[in-house]
Amino acid sequence: MANTKSALKYIRKTETRALRNRQVKTRLKTFAKKVDAASAAGDKEALAVAARDFISILDKAGKNGLVHPNKIARQKARCARLLAA
């Protein structure tokens, strides 16, 4: 257990950040599944909406350093390829 007040505060901050990061990553996975489902169904309009939302969430997660920039670029490129097909 932590001995100082600052160490206790750091533990609280870490728990809060970990919870927020877990929520964002879970949301990313959910929207990735929506893109895959729309692609598999062949519904262009649903795919466009799902891809737009997924890319927006990706950019927000990247802005906070939660997702690696190369992963963001790769997933955005895959969405663009699905939309073009």
Side-chain angles (χ1 to χ4, degrees), residues 22-80:
R22 192 164 53 242
Q23 289 171 341
V24 172
K25 286 191 173 190
T26 301
R27 188 168 182 189
L28 276 170
K29 291 175 191 173
T30 301
F31 276 87
K33 289 176 189 174
K34 287 183 181 182
V35 170
D36 290 339
S39 174
D43 187 1
K44 287 287 192 180
E45 293 177 11
L47 178 60
V49 171
R52 185 188 67 225
D53 293 342
F54 180 54
I55 289 171
S56 173
I57 293 168
L58 267 175
D59 287 336
K60 288 176 185 174
K63 181 176 68 174
N64 296 326
L66 190 60
V67 181
H68 195 277
N70 289 355
K71 181 175 183 177
I72 294 169
R74 183 178 66 244
Q75 291 186 337
K76 287 168 76 170
R78 287 179 183 167
C79 282

